[in-house]
Amino acid sequence: MEILNFKQINKGCLIARFDVKIPEWGLTLRGCSIFEKEGKRWIGVPSTRLESKDGSSKNYDHVVFDKAVRSRFDSTCLQKIKDGLYQKSQERTESVFNRGA
């Protein structure tokens, strides 16, 4: 797995955006995100926000994993980013794991 086009955002709960390439699957997921809230971090996959007639809205993921695969995907992405094993976007970034330090 490779983390590509990493771009730090730091806006609200959104920490960064990036792409994930999984060469053995011939797959690239564009537009993944890292979120942080209440001391927890997780990976967001590309999604679409849809509104219902009553005005409520919900995000629907474009990619759905089995629970065990999703857990491995999230932990692998987070560890690679923590270890600095990612290709940065063309913009200057700083470590997302030093945020607020």
Side-chain angles (χ1 to χ4, degrees):
M1 180 184 296
E2 300 171 34
I3 306 296
L4 307 172
N5 302 316
F6 185 88
K7 181 180 179 186
Q8 191 166 344
I9 306 293
N10 289 332
K11 184 176 182 181
C13 295
L14 177 61
I15 304 296
R17 292 199 187 277
F18 56 94
D19 301 333
V20 176
K21 183 175 182 179
I22 306 172
E24 56 270 20
W25 295 354
L27 175 71
T28 299
L29 298 175
R30 293 189 175 159
C32 295
S33 306
I34 298 176
F35 293 95
E36 179 179 38
K37 187 174 184 178
E38 299 174 1
K40 296 181 182 180
R41 287 193 172 148
W42 67 94
I43 301 298
V45 295
S47 63
T48 299
R49 186 171 200 86
L50 298 176
E51 292 189 24
S52 66
K53 292 179 183 178
D54 68 4
S56 63
S57 60
K58 182 177 179 181
N59 284 340
Y60 290 91
D61 291 345
H62 294 205
V63 179
V64 179
F65 298 99
D66 291 339
K67 189 174 182 177
V69 174
R70 178 60 188 250
S71 179
R72 282 196 326 261
F73 176 82
D74 284 8
S75 62
T76 301
C77 287
L78 289 169
Q79 190 62 51
K80 285 184 175 289
I81 292 166
K82 183 176 183 180
D83 292 345
L85 301 175
Y86 55 84
Q87 175 200 64
K88 296 179 183 179
S89 70
Q90 297 301 319
E91 297 181 22
R92 183 180 176 279
T93 60
E94 56 190 55
S95 173
V96 298
F97 288 94
N98 292 331
R99 184 176 184 226

